[in-house]
Structures are given as structure tokens and as C-alpha cells.
Amino acid sequence: MKWYFKIIIFFIILAILVELLAIPLFPNKKNLFKYGFFNSTMFELLNEEENTIDTLMVGDSLIYSSISPTLIYDKYGFTSYDCSLSSQTMKESYQYLTLGIKSQNPKVVFLETNMFFRDPDSNKRKIKDIKKVKYMLPFYVLHNNWKKILGGSDAWIDYNKGFRYIAKFNPAKKSDIESYRKDRRDDKTIIKDENMYYLKKIIELCDEHNIKLILISNPSIKAWSMKKHEIVSKIAKDYNLEWLDLNTLLDIDWVNDTKDKGEHLNHRGAEISTYYVGEYLLKSNLVVSHKNDPKYQKWDRAVELYKENNKETKKEKILIK
Amino acid sequence: MSYLSIYYLFLVIPAVVIIYSIVPKKFRYIFLLLVSFALFFYISKKLIVILFITILTTYISALFINKLEEKKELLLNNANSEEKKEIKNKFKFKKKLLLIIYILINVSFLVAYKYLNFFSINTNLLLKLLHIDYSFKIIRIVAPIGISFWLLTALSYVIDVYNGKVEAEKNPLKVALYISYFATLIEGPFTRYADIKDSMFAGNNVTYDNLCRGYQRIMFGLFKKMVIADRLNILVKIVFDNYIEFSGFSSLLGTIAYTVMLYMEFSGTMDVVIGSSEILGINIKENFRQPFFSKNISEFWTRWHISLGAWFRDYIFYPISLSKPMKKLTISARKKLGNHFGPLISGSIALFVVWFLNGLWHGAGYTFLAFGLFHFLMILLGNIFTPLIIKICNKLNINRENIIYRVFQSIKMAFLVFIGEIFFRADTMQIALGMIKKIFTDWSIRTGEISSLGLDIYDYIALLIGITFVFVISIFKEKNIDVRNEISKKPVAVRWALYYILIFSIFLLGAFGHGYVPVDPMYADF
């Protein structure tokens, strides 16, 4: 056999092994076969048991750094999940939501409005799209789950439910805080057609499945402006959607409640927005509490693990650097 | 860019290998030169000018030295004995002058890029102490990538030509490739022109065997880096950044972890350098030879970063210790102090210079100087006390070849290496000395201390597996068993199964993704 044929065969076998040996690394094998390797690797919601989550929080990093589903469950008993990726686009949100509706039976969807203003055609975006190739290699993304295989059933519990815990604070600049409070206007703010297209599709999807869609603007000095507020306000009015602009509703301490100079909240800040959303759900009667329901015992354990593991450590400081 | 990055290993190397195979044999070295320049330019941009100046001065100086030698030989043929002496002295002076000018030009780059700030800061401190109202400006400049490696590689070539060990190369492109060869450009090892020229310029074909052997070596290097070094990185950072909060035990653990990490990262990089060159049919000498199997610090440095030790030995130690004043000193000292301690004086002076420069080579800072001088002191003490130790062993009937004695020697040697590495890693002398003090005085392990070092139980399991694997391979190497040769004798199914196991071990146990911080290429800044 010619040597280059040998090499080709070697890599074909390797590629097959890479996919096959990745199977034990997936937390939810049932969903893996149902939704495929790529989706199960990229969209962490698919690791959850089917039809257990009532609220989906869809959006970019402002979702996963502002709303902790575990804390909502702990206080109110409502199950929710942060369906969010870094710099998530409206198109990705639509994909995520489609899968979320297939695998869960949500009653409420919160949609982060910061994505409306993201440029889906930017170079940064294109590079991110190329990097998505890693999700085709679940072994690469999930390789650390070997620890969970050894760690027993508790180890497989996703106690953060899509939320990313950061305790560290990095205060915003005084000038940034002042300009934020002065209702800063950014004249360049526009919504690209593609984003509007996917917004309409998300609205349709929610209507089809009888899901209450609520727009949410999580607190961020860097991402929010009065111009954006006005645009979202118009959209909410036009499409008859409820909207929570937490930038105007909450009083965030931008010295202690942010992890990165005002762009995102840290855990202290996230507690404020999380409990606001939890209270909103409670008052709206859209979802029911699953506390004391034996089917949701894993959620109770998730709360314990969340409190046990989410502490500021020296390792966390290094990872944030 | 790291040699151990996925892009370099699985994009750059395959692309280079494919194009190299297509290019006609006689132009292959030119292709390698272009790749080397491209890599340099990609990292250091316009600083490539410095590399060009070094290449040009190296090429011209070597050629001139050769020409002077030829001219000398020509004149000697037609000269009488008295004239011969005069001609020899005249040409010796000219050659020496040329060599000194060449060294001064090139070493000035090293001084300017690496040491100027250190000297300026210290001179300013001195001026302040003397109440002189003047200070030198501190300019932060970025050095060309790998300057400490390719510059000394260039120097070795000209010195070898000066010493008549090699003929000056007439083709400037070959000299350029020797100095800037992409695989050794960033982190060495230092190659010698005589050792590498044949395989480097031959344009050898890429064979299946070389490809397999080369990638086996590369994957082994990747294993060391990703499974062990990258995993230890967090522990090392936590201990060295917060040593005050930890006990002496954790300080020692952090120090051991750092030494292991340094070894795995640097020797792993060397595996990539040697493996990728092997694919191209270029032979590069080993830079590590199971250093932790050494009996003492002296031996350790003949097994760790071998090419650096050899460079200092050939171009610093020997020229000093064999110089006329030193020879005189040895003769008179031998008379007064005897055959053991007599030659030790001149040797120790040369050794001091070597370790002073070795420390400085690793970095411009007091911690690096302390690192060098610590090793000097340990080697010196070893030299002084060896006869006494032998006497004691003989009196107590201790067999020095006994396995228990050998293990004891290795543990003692490793402990000294760990202490030395504290100076190497610590940001300041205060931290280094603080950690050493803790190791010797504070043995109160606090509750939960080990779990606060950033690694979980599974990380320790992965480390145990990884280090055991490297240890077993090292034993084979120490016994002169070529593991790759042994593998090549096995049936294809066994061979491939072993390759897959290695690849999946890296995938599975590799410390990458969320929760880990990969080690930066540690020697690339030198």
C-alpha cells in the first residue's frame, strides 16, 4: 500500500474514533442521538432532561452574567435556563430557541435586546463562525467530562444552568458611570435587517407554541444607551411585547457589582437582576413552582452544588486575568 | 507563537512538509530559509533587520577570517623561519581583531535589547545613592524573537571558523538558514554548523518512516506540555503569587511543580523541534537527557539544556580556563594546594564567569543572577567536598554504586535543583528568599490547603498518569532503548493502537478549555 493511503486510512479511523469515543462524554445521550453531535455540543440546554424547564433566557453574555437560574429556583421554585453564548447573534438565538422548544416545553422566553444591535456581518463575527468548527469535535469541547464519568451522578449535574459565576469585581470608570446616568445617546445605533428578520421569526415561533415572549435589557454601562432604549421601546410597542429594561429599573452599584468595568455584572450584580426577574415571574403567574416535586430533586441538589462550588478562589482570579 | 500550538503542529508543519517535498531538492534549503524569515517576520515584524545584520556580519566575518587564513598559508609557504613567526603573529592579531569587532557588534544587540534597562535601572539606583541628580531614561523595548538563541548560534559559527574547526560557508543563504532555521529560531537548541550542515542543506526527501518517527516525537512533546505542564500552571501561579498564605509544604510543592512544568514544557518543545526536523531529514542533537537521573548538579547541567551548557563550556569556560594567566595560576596553585585543590582555583574562576553569564542569559534581573550563582556555589561545593565524601563512604563501607545511595544522590540533587528554580521563577528576590525560608521553617499544613491550589483530585490523577508515562519512557531512554524503534517492529495494528492511545490521552487528559491556562513558551522570551 502506498504510504499516503496508509496516512489517509489512519486519519479516517481517527475521525471515527473521535466521534465514537466522545459519546460517553455527553451528559444526555438520549438528546445526543435526537439532536446530533453538533447541536448537543454547542447548545448546553440539550444536556438537561426533556420538558423540565419552564423559562428560557435567550441572549448573549449579558444573559449568562446577569441571570442565575439556580438562584431563581432556590427562591421561587421556577425552572429556567440561560440559553446564551458569547456574542450570540439573533440567528443563533433563533436556532437555540428552536431546539429549546423541541426539547423543553417553555411557558416564557426572555430575549436579551443587546443582540438586536449586533452586526451579524462583522469580521469578528465571521471569525467566530469559523471557530464553530470545534463543535463538530465534541471530544475537543467535552474532553474534561472524563472527570464527571469518574465523579458519579452528582458530577453530571449542571448546577449553573448556563449561568457563568464570577465573583471578582472590576469597577467601572467614574466618567463611564456618569455618562451612563446622563442617558447617553449613541447616534450610530441601528438594527440590521437580518436581526429584525430573526426577531420576527422568534415572535412567530413563540406565538405558535403559545409562549410568552418578554424582551429584557440586562444592566450594562457599555452596551446600553438611551438611543437603544428608545429603539427597543418602539419595537416592544409595535409588536405588543412586554419589555424589562433593567438599566432603568435597577439601581446597580457600578463599583462593586461589575466584573469588567461596567460591561457585565458580577455575581453580586447578577443577584439583583436575577431576583428582579424571579419576582416578575412570581407576580405574573406564568410559571409554577417545582419545589418539593420529586421529579425536580436534581434541581435541589443543583442549588446545593451551586452554593458549595461557586466561591471566589485564587484559581478564578487567574482564569479571569 | 508557540511550537506547541495546534496551528503550528497541524497547519504549519504539514504545509511546510508538503511544499518541501514538492520543491526540487537543490532549492529546498532556500524554501526553508523563506519559511524561517516568514516566521520571524510574523512574530517580530521589522526587527527582522537585526537578524539580517547578524546574518550579514556573520557571513562576512567568517569569510574574511577564512581569507586571512588562506593568505597566511600562502605567505608562510614562501617565508623563512623568522618571517614565519612574524606572519603568524600579524595574522593572528588581524583575525582576533576581526573576531572581537564581530562579537562586539552582535553582542551589542543583545545588550541593547535585553540588558540595557536592567543596567539603566541599577545605574539610576546607584546615582540616587550617591546623591547625583541624573537618571538614565528607561525605555521599554521589545526584543526580536529568540535573539538569545540565534545570536549565540551565529557567534559559535564564526568562533569555530576562527578556531579552524569549520570552513567558512561561501553561500550566504546557507549561513542565513543555519542562523535562522525556523525550528530552532525561537527556543533553540543551539546547533553547531559542523553538526548540522550536511543534513540541513542536503534537501533530504520526506520519507514515511521519518514522518512517523517525527510525529511520534511531536505527539510525545505535546503530551508532556498539555497533560502535565499546562495542568501544573495554575498550581504554580497560585503558590508563587500567594506564597505568604501557604505553608512551607505548599511552597515546596509549588517549587517541585514549577520544575516539572519547566522540564515538560521545554523538553516538550524540544521534542517538537527535533521531531519536525526529523521529518525534513535534518538531524538536531538532543537538548535533554533524563536530567533527573543525575547524581549531582554538575551532571544535571550536562543533561538539561545540553546545548546551552556545551556553548558556555566551549566558548566561555575553556577559553578562560585554558588562557595563559589561568594556566600560570594553576601551576603555582598546584604547588601550594596540591593536585586536587590547585587546578580548582582557575577552574572555579572560569566556572564563576560561566554561571554569572548563564544567569544573565536567562534574564536581566537579580533573581536570574542569583539562579546562576546558586548553581555555581553548589557545583563549587561539590568539587571541594567530593574527596571528603568519598573518604567518608569508604570508611563507612558505603557502596557509592548501590541503588539506595544513587537514589539518595538523585533526591539530594533534585532538591537543590528545586531550590535553584525558585530564583528562576520568583518575580523578586524577596519572594524567592521568602519561599526558601518557608520551606525550611514552616511545616504547618493548613486545613484545605492542598484543595486550594487550583487542582482537583482528577487533575492529580491525570498528573500521576502523565508523569509515570514520561518516567517509564525516560527509563527506556536511559537504558539506550529506542522506544520508537521498538514500536516500528510491531505489527501495524499494535502500532496504530499505540498511536491512537497517545492521541486520545492528549485529547482526554490534556489541560485545555475552561478552567485551565496554558503555559506560555517559557524559553521564547530569552
Side-chain angles (χ1 to χ4, degrees):
Chain A
M1 201 194 302
K2 291 264 186 194
W3 64 270
Y4 42 84
F5 277 125
K6 274 191 199 169
I7 291 173
I8 292 167
I9 292 169
F10 180 85
F11 279 104
I12 290 171
I13 296 173
L14 181 66
I16 295 167
L17 285 175
V18 162
E19 297 298 308
L20 285 180
L21 293 176
I23 293 172
L25 301 173
F26 281 93
N28 190 333
K29 274 89 178 168
K30 210 169 115 192
N31 275 355
L32 166 68
F33 296 117
K34 211 167 171 182
Y35 302 105
F37 277 87
F38 183 85
N39 287 333
S40 301
T41 313
M42 186 165 166
F43 303 110
E44 288 176 343
L45 173 70
L46 296 175
N47 297 333
E48 292 294 309
E49 273 180 46
E50 283 190 308
N51 301 323
T52 54
I53 290 165
D54 296 336
T55 305
L56 299 179
M57 317 283 182
V58 181
D60 54 16
S61 54
L62 288 182
I63 286 285
Y64 67 61
S65 41
S66 303
I67 300 169
S68 166
T70 319
L71 288 182
I72 291 181
Y73 179 81
D74 186 31
K75 191 165 179 186
Y76 306 97
F78 307 141
T79 55
S80 58
Y81 200 93
D82 286 353
C83 303
S84 56
L85 303 165
S86 168
S87 307
Q88 187 163 303
T89 58
M90 288 297 287
K91 188 183 173 183
E92 283 167 342
S93 293
Y94 176 71
Q95 285 176 310
Y96 211 149
L97 190 57
T98 309
L99 286 165
I101 290 172
K102 273 186 191 166
S103 64
Q104 302 293 337
N105 188 16
K107 314 287 181 298
V108 182
V109 166
F110 282 92
L111 188 69
E112 168 58 51
T113 62
N114 188 44
M115 295 180 299
F116 296 1
F117 306 97
R118 177 158 288 122
D119 181 2
D121 305 316
S122 69
N123 283 336
K124 206 176 148 190
R125 190 66 237 163
K126 282 173 191 159
I127 293 166
K128 277 207 171 259
D129 283 342
I130 293 167
K131 284 187 176 172
K132 272 188 198 166
V133 74
K134 72 177 179 186
Y135 297 116
M136 291 165 88
L137 295 167
F139 214 101
Y140 178 79
V141 181
L142 305 173
H143 74 106
N144 253 333
N145 282 0
W146 67 270
K147 292 181 178 181
K148 292 181 179 174
I149 294 171
L150 296 180
S153 60
D154 253 13
W156 288 103
I157 295 174
D158 169 12
Y159 52 81
N160 281 319
K161 308 290 175 192
F163 174 71
R164 297 195 193 172
Y165 174 93
I166 305 284
K168 188 197 166 204
F169 74 97
N170 190 359
K173 282 184 196 165
K174 211 176 166 186
S175 56
D176 286 345
I177 299 172
E178 276 166 12
S179 85
Y180 171 76
R181 285 181 180 148
K182 274 181 197 159
D183 303 342
R184 176 169 53 93
R185 282 167 196 274
D186 182 354
D187 289 332
K188 286 174 189 167
T189 302
I190 51 152
I191 301 184
K192 291 248 178 172
D193 291 345
E194 187 185 306
N195 291 344
M196 275 314 287
Y197 170 76
Y198 281 106
L199 174 62
K200 284 173 196 166
K201 287 193 72 125
I202 288 171
I203 294 170
E204 281 169 22
L205 193 67
C206 289
D207 283 346
E208 265 172 45
H209 292 86
N210 214 11
I211 296 165
K212 171 91 174 166
L213 177 67
I214 301 160
L215 302 182
I216 185 165
S217 306
N218 282 293
S220 171
I221 280 188
K222 301 270 173 77
W224 186 87
S225 72
M226 187 47 85
K227 177 83 183 282
K228 285 181 182 172
H229 176 89
E230 283 163 2
I231 293 172
V232 178
S233 172
K234 192 174 178 310
I235 290 172
K237 214 172 179 182
D238 290 351
Y239 292 92
N240 197 22
L241 297 170
E242 276 189 46
W243 170 44
L244 305 177
D245 186 350
L246 302 187
N247 289 280
T248 56
L249 293 167
L250 301 178
D251 190 19
I252 299 291
D253 169 6
W254 289 105
V255 175
N256 293 306
D257 296 348
T258 172
K259 65 180 180 187
D260 49 10
K261 299 180 181 177
E263 190 156 5
H264 301 95
L265 298 176
N266 59 15
H267 189 249
R268 236 180 82 118
E271 280 187 3
I272 299 170
S273 50
T274 296
Y275 291 133
Y276 186 89
V277 171
E279 206 63 33
Y280 177 86
L281 285 169
L282 182 74
K283 283 176 186 163
S284 62
N285 279 325
L286 292 165
V287 285
V288 292
S289 169
H290 294 289
K291 274 278 168 83
N292 305 322
D293 182 343
K295 198 184 160 195
Y296 290 85
Q297 263 179 1
K298 277 190 181 172
W299 275 80
D300 294 318
R301 183 71 188 126
V303 172
E304 286 167 21
L305 291 169
Y306 182 94
K307 289 178 180 170
E308 217 171 88
N309 293 306
N310 284 343
K311 290 172 192 155
E312 190 186 19
T313 59
K314 292 180 182 78
K315 182 177 177 177
E316 193 206 346
K317 281 181 192 165
I318 289 166
L319 292 174
I320 292 167
K321 269 183 201 169
Chain B
M1 188 176 75
S2 164
Y3 285 125
L4 287 156
S5 72
I6 300 295
Y7 298 112
Y8 182 79
L9 296 177
F10 302 107
L11 287 176
V12 176
I13 295 180
V16 169
V17 170
I18 291 167
I19 301 170
Y20 180 84
S21 307
I22 299 166
V23 170
K25 232 176 171 182
K26 61 177 178 178
F27 297 123
R28 281 177 180 171
Y29 74 92
I30 299 175
F31 168 68
L32 292 181
L33 179 63
L34 291 175
V35 173
S36 306
F37 284 166
L39 179 71
F40 192 97
F41 186 75
Y42 173 72
I43 301 169
S44 288
K45 305 284 179 297
K46 59 187 177 187
L47 291 175
I48 199 167
V49 175
I50 307 295
L51 177 69
F52 287 156
I53 295 171
T54 296
I55 289 170
L56 200 69
T57 51
T58 303
Y59 173 70
I60 293 170
S61 307
L63 220 56
F64 261 103
I65 289 169
N66 231 34
K67 282 258 155 47
L68 284 171
E69 194 59 31
E70 280 169 15
K71 206 171 167 188
K72 183 184 91 179
E73 292 300 325
L74 207 71
L75 289 170
L76 284 176
N77 286 340
N78 306 316
N80 59 37
S81 59
E82 217 166 274
E83 284 170 336
K84 272 183 183 171
K85 203 177 173 187
E86 201 183 317
I87 291 165
K88 275 181 187 170
N89 284 339
K90 192 176 148 192
F91 278 88
K92 194 179 171 189
F93 173 75
K94 277 187 180 179
K95 267 171 64 182
K96 204 172 229 170
L97 187 67
L98 192 62
L99 181 71
I100 289 168
I101 292 169
Y102 164 77
I103 291 173
L104 283 177
I105 291 171
N106 283 287
V107 170
S108 70
F109 293 138
L110 203 60
V111 172
Y113 280 107
K114 278 187 71 172
Y115 306 109
L116 205 58
N117 272 348
F118 179 61
F119 293 139
S120 304
I121 290 166
N122 287 295
T123 314
N124 287 347
L125 276 175
L126 193 71
L127 291 173
K128 208 175 170 186
L129 277 175
L130 298 170
H131 303 290
I132 298 170
D133 192 21
Y134 183 81
S135 65
F136 290 97
K137 209 176 166 185
I138 311 295
I139 316 158
R140 302 262 166 238
I141 43 172
V142 180
I145 189 78
I147 187 168
S148 302
F149 287 99
W150 51 261
L151 211 122
L152 296 197
T153 300
L155 292 183
S156 76
Y157 166 68
V158 179
I159 298 171
D160 283 354
V161 172
Y162 173 85
N163 289 329
K165 286 184 184 167
V166 287
E167 282 272 311
E169 175 57 57
K170 291 186 179 63
N171 183 338
L173 300 181
K174 288 184 177 175
V175 175
L177 177 60
Y178 167 66
I179 295 169
S180 62
Y181 174 50
F182 74 94
T184 58
L185 182 71
I186 303 175
E187 295 192 59
F190 300 97
T191 52
R192 299 294 172 86
Y193 190 73
D195 296 334
I196 205 171
K197 68 179 168 68
D198 290 338
S199 61
M200 184 175 261
F201 309 131
N204 291 325
N205 287 333
V206 175
T207 63
Y208 178 67
D209 193 40
N210 279 359
L211 204 61
C212 290
R213 285 180 63 84
Y215 262 104
Q216 282 170 30
R217 186 80 193 249
I218 288 170
M219 294 311 285
F220 183 54
L222 201 61
F223 179 92
K224 287 190 209 169
K225 200 250 178 192
M226 293 182 81
V227 178
I228 305 171
D230 286 350
R231 183 163 265 109
L232 287 170
N233 195 23
I234 287 208
L235 187 151
V236 170
K237 274 178 191 277
I238 288 175
V239 173
F240 275 82
D241 292 351
N242 309 278
Y243 81 96
I244 292 173
E245 296 169 31
F246 292 113
S247 66
F249 176 78
S250 292
S251 291
L252 182 62
L253 193 68
T255 306
I256 295 170
Y258 176 68
T259 311
V260 174
M261 182 178 93
L262 187 67
Y263 174 61
M264 296 298 169
E265 199 279 333
F266 194 25
S267 71
T269 304
M270 290 304 108
D271 289 326
V272 172
V273 169
I274 295 170
S276 53
S277 299
E278 207 170 349
I279 296 171
L280 302 169
I282 297 171
N283 304 324
I284 291 181
K285 284 190 174 174
E286 293 294 338
N287 208 20
F288 286 90
R289 198 167 46 82
Q290 301 78 256
F292 292 99
F293 291 161
S294 309
K295 282 182 265 182
N296 51 49
I297 292 260
S298 276
E299 190 190 344
F300 180 85
W301 282 97
T302 62
R303 289 167 171 257
W304 172 290
H305 205 173
I306 297 167
S307 66
L308 178 69
W311 199 98
F312 278 113
R313 180 196 65 210
D314 293 347
Y315 303 112
I316 305 285
F317 184 82
Y318 285 150
I320 294 175
S321 60
L322 299 176
S323 64
K324 273 180 191 169
M326 287 297 157
K327 276 182 180 170
K328 270 186 190 173
L329 180 67
T330 304
I331 293 165
S332 66
R334 202 189 285 268
K335 282 176 193 165
K336 286 172 191 160
L337 301 169
N339 278 340
H340 178 75
F341 293 106
L344 212 57
I345 292 180
S346 63
S348 301
I349 292 169
L351 200 66
F352 173 80
V353 178
V354 162
W355 280 103
F356 182 82
L357 293 177
N358 189 313
L360 219 49
W361 180 87
H362 280 96
Y366 288 110
T367 49
F368 290 108
L369 280 176
F371 164 79
L373 296 178
F374 172 80
H375 282 96
F376 161 72
L377 199 67
M378 290 303 116
I379 294 171
L380 183 68
L381 290 175
N383 290 340
I384 292 170
F385 289 109
T386 301
L388 184 70
I389 291 164
I390 294 171
K391 256 187 194 174
I392 293 170
C393 286
N394 289 343
K395 276 219 164 160
L396 297 174
N397 278 332
I398 297 170
N399 180 7
R400 292 172 67 242
E401 294 308 314
N402 183 298
I403 184 77
I404 298 167
Y405 188 81
R406 286 281 288 105
V407 170
F408 164 75
Q409 276 183 312
S410 289
I411 291 171
K412 179 200 74 185
M413 180 280 308
F415 184 73
L416 294 177
V417 170
F418 297 149
I419 299 294
E421 294 299 343
I422 293 179
F423 292 108
F424 194 78
R425 170 59 174 79
D427 293 332
T428 62
M429 279 301 285
Q430 199 188 357
I431 293 174
L433 296 173
M435 280 185 77
I436 292 169
K437 192 182 165 193
K438 279 227 162 198
I439 288 172
F440 286 101
T441 57
D442 179 4
W443 280 88
S444 56
I445 305 171
R446 281 136 211 154
T447 338
E449 196 170 300
I450 301 297
S451 60
S452 67
L453 297 178
L455 301 182
D456 56 34
I457 180 76
Y458 305 110
D459 286 314
Y460 288 108
I461 292 171
L463 282 170
L464 189 70
I465 294 170
I467 293 171
T468 307
F469 175 58
V470 175
F471 181 69
V472 170
I473 298 286
S474 302
I475 290 174
F476 281 124
K477 279 191 179 175
E478 191 67 8
K479 294 190 169 182
N480 281 326
I481 298 168
D482 185 340
V483 178
R484 289 183 294 166
N485 260 353
E486 295 303 314
I487 291 172
S488 69
K489 291 175 196 162
K490 304 277 180 238
V492 71
V494 177
R495 262 184 0 240
W496 285 21
L498 290 171
Y499 300 158
Y500 289 133
I501 288 171
L502 181 61
I503 292 168
F504 280 101
S505 307
I506 298 169
F507 260 139
L508 207 61
L509 303 179
F512 58 91
H514 181 67
Y516 297 105
V517 184
V519 186
D520 291 327
M522 286 184 267
Y523 272 74
D525 288 339
F526 296 152

